Amino acid sequence: MPQNDLTSVSRAQTASPRPRKVPRVVVLGGGSVGLYAARRLRKKLGRREAAIVVVDPRPYMTYAPFLPEAAAGSIDGRDVVAPHRRALKGVDVLQGKVVSIDHAKRQVTIHPEEGDDYSVTYDHLIVGLGSVSRTLPIPGLAENAIGFKNVEEAIAVRNHVLNRMDVASSTWDEQLRRRMLTFTFVGGGFAGVEAIAEIEDMARYATRNYATIEEKDLRFVMIEGAGRILPELSEPMAGYALEELKKRGIEFHLNTFLSSCVDGHVVTSTGVEFDSDTIVWTAGVKANPVIKEASDLPVDKMGRVTVLPTLQVADADGNVVPNAWAAGDCAAVPDLLNPGKFCPPNAQHAIREATRLADNLALELHSEKPVEYRHKSVGTVASLGLYKGVAELFGVFKLRGVLAWLMHRSYHVLAMPTGNRKIRIFIGWIGQFLMGRELVSLGSLHDPRAEFRAASVPPKKDGEPVKQTAQGSAAAAEAGDSAATAEKVPAKAS
């Protein structure tokens, strides 16, 4: 059990917890909001002023803007995450999934990966549970598609694309080969466009390693329900990005929806049909469903926690819910610079909201008045592959190509938490520049026991003894004993 002041972490059925000497702040979610808020709060408040606990099912924070580069092999997957126990010094970390929030009782229930559920009580709550992929009941989607929301999915997409190229290079069935080399992305927002651009760039670069695959053999398809891509950018800049990607041979089906993808057979609302072994879903996100389904916090029609500009949770009438705060993708944060709108769910706002939230909570603990969150966007940057990008800065500067790509990398590496990760990413970029991309599929990582299962001997029938010998593997190989796969036991001493 974690150290410090976690005196009330207990199973729900146990006796009431002991009184705490200092107030406990429980932070739900260890993403951008949770990590930055906890770090800032620890900096503002000493251990004798507050005990801080972060709850998250993963032991690290994923920096989502770098997922496309991780998928393309430009950044090592381990370098786009910040380990909680290294980044959160002086903060307790509980690894588990939040299954319910009972703010009336100041209690959350946590489901650990192993063991029974338990409850944690608190004095102040910060909700930074983020978002999950927003999917639709499309036939075949759950069985054949993969998301692009976390580092595991990004690396899986990369391994899968390279694996399909490996297999297709030794396949002579033209229909099967076309299916393997067709890569479909659904959703034309930032995540989808950056993902397809980076991975197409990687795959095109990889063709130089295959004698039987040319660039023209690759087919990348984007399906988008709106009439344009990159809604976060102005229309002229989004149009530029669209034309640049079309020049690279990427197909765009705008004003089009995915109707079905059963067994990899893609059918669109406009009647287009084709087979694809790779379907990546990037069509939006929604607030973590536990907030709407298993909490007593006020939410809007989209399932987001309703908050004031001070990031204090409030009901529909604007009444503050005491000791509750929220920010990020799971919160409806009013945008004071654009009345009537909410702050967009991106890393730029999430990090700044987390800092303001922590400062406000510290002010409240010191009996001072919280300050409203307001932030004028510094701009929008997007990568379209290696040395290619598009950017709009401060609403004035519009950059394209290499300069925009440099702005994208510079901004995000500075925003990446911990100096350790900044240095690792920078060194990785230098290595890639000097030695090129590392193009190898490690798809077996996703099922490392597959080969062992295939090599295992079926178990004997009940009651039949298993014959075990102490023969070394070298001796077995020399004797040609292919049956020497049973468990070995130590030989008796001579």
Side-chain angles (χ1 to χ4, degrees), residues 211-440:
T212 58
I213 298 179
E214 299 179 8
E215 291 184 18
K216 65 180 182 180
D217 297 326
L218 304 176
R219 183 184 182 189
F220 279 82
V221 182
M222 167 69 74
I223 299 173
E224 167 55 40
R228 55 169 291 186
I229 62 171
L230 297 173
E232 301 88 346
L233 289 173
S234 64
E235 286 204 32
M237 296 301 284
Y240 163 79
L242 178 63
E243 291 305 314
E244 289 299 306
L245 293 174
K246 282 184 175 180
K247 289 177 184 177
R248 288 156 55 177
I250 300 177
E251 296 179 33
F252 284 86
H253 296 270
L254 304 180
N255 295 309
T256 304
F257 299 95
L258 178 65
S259 299
S260 172
C261 58
V262 176
D263 296 328
H265 182 68
V266 175
V267 180
T268 73
S269 59
T270 56
V272 176
E273 297 187 32
F274 57 88
D275 292 326
S276 175
D277 269 359
T278 307
I279 302 171
V280 183
W281 180 267
T282 61
V285 295
K286 63 180 180 180
N288 194 309
V290 72
I291 296 170
K292 183 177 182 180
E293 299 171 3
S295 84
D296 55 355
L297 298 173
V299 299
D300 66 1
K301 61 182 180 180
M302 297 178 66
R304 301 174 299 183
V305 182
T306 53
V307 300
L308 299 177
T310 55
L311 304 173
Q312 295 169 290
V313 176
D315 60 23
D317 298 323
N319 300 312
V320 173
V321 176
N323 306 327
W325 309 75
D329 293 7
C330 67
V333 181
D335 189 347
L336 297 182
L337 299 180
N338 296 284
K341 296 183 178 182
F342 297 99
C343 295
N346 57 35
Q348 181 180 155
H349 278 282
I351 293 171
R352 287 167 175 79
E353 288 169 9
T355 301
R356 172 44 54 199
L357 187 157
D359 288 347
N360 281 348
L361 178 50
L363 287 172
E364 184 173 273
L365 290 175
H366 291 144
S367 302
E368 297 182 43
K369 187 178 179 180
V371 178
E372 292 182 337
Y373 170 77
R374 62 179 70 229
H375 168 65
K376 184 176 182 180
S377 176
V378 297
T380 306
V381 291
S383 171
L384 301 179
L386 200 60
Y387 309 125
K388 298 172 282 288
V390 60
E392 290 184 324
L393 305 177
F394 307 106
V396 177
F397 303 102
K398 301 181 187 300
L399 308 177
R400 304 173 180 182
V402 176
L403 189 56
W405 173 80
L406 288 172
M407 289 300 302
H408 172 271
R409 283 200 163 185
S410 300
Y411 174 82
H412 286 303
V413 78
L414 289 175
M416 185 71 194
T418 75
N420 174 281
R421 277 335 191 239
K422 290 181 174 68
I423 294 172
R424 285 178 178 271
I425 290 172
F426 188 67
I427 291 174
W429 284 337
I430 294 174
Q432 181 196 58
F433 178 77
L434 296 176
M435 296 176 286
R437 297 177 189 262
E438 184 60 52
L439 300 172
V440 59

Side-chain angles (χ1 to χ4, degrees), residues 66-82:
F66 273 148
L67 288 182
E69 290 204 48
S74 299
I75 303 176
D76 190 288
R78 293 171 297 181
D79 295 338
V80 301
V81 301

Side-chain angles (χ1 to χ4, degrees), residues 67-186:
L67 288 182
E69 290 204 48
S74 299
I75 303 176
D76 190 288
R78 293 171 297 181
D79 295 338
V80 301
V81 301
H84 287 151
R85 287 174 174 81
R86 182 166 189 165
L88 295 172
K89 299 298 184 182
V91 174
D92 286 293
V93 177
L94 293 178
Q95 189 173 338
K97 182 180 180 181
V98 176
V99 294
S100 68
I101 305 170
D102 190 342
H103 189 64
K105 295 181 179 179
R106 303 294 192 272
Q107 178 177 289
V108 296
T109 302
I110 301 170
H111 176 69
E113 188 172 335
E114 299 287 346
D116 299 329
D117 293 358
Y118 60 91
S119 63
V120 177
T121 59
Y122 58 84
D123 300 292
H124 299 270
L125 180 70
I126 295 175
V127 182
L129 289 170
S131 58
V132 298
S133 295
R134 176 174 57 83
T135 59
L136 299 171
I138 298 172
L141 183 66
E143 296 80 8
N144 297 286
I146 184 172
F148 203 79
K149 191 73 175 60
N150 54 57
V151 69
E152 295 90 346
E153 291 174 331
I155 300 305
V157 169
R158 175 174 182 264
N159 284 331
H160 178 74
V161 169
L162 292 174
N163 172 264
R164 294 296 82 190
M165 294 181 69
D166 287 338
V167 177
S169 68
S170 301
T171 300
W172 311 115
D173 185 321
E174 282 300 321
Q175 185 176 353
L176 184 59
R177 179 184 167 91
R178 279 196 302 271
R179 178 190 179 103
M180 291 178 180
L181 297 179
T182 299
F183 310 101
T184 307
F185 290 71
V186 185

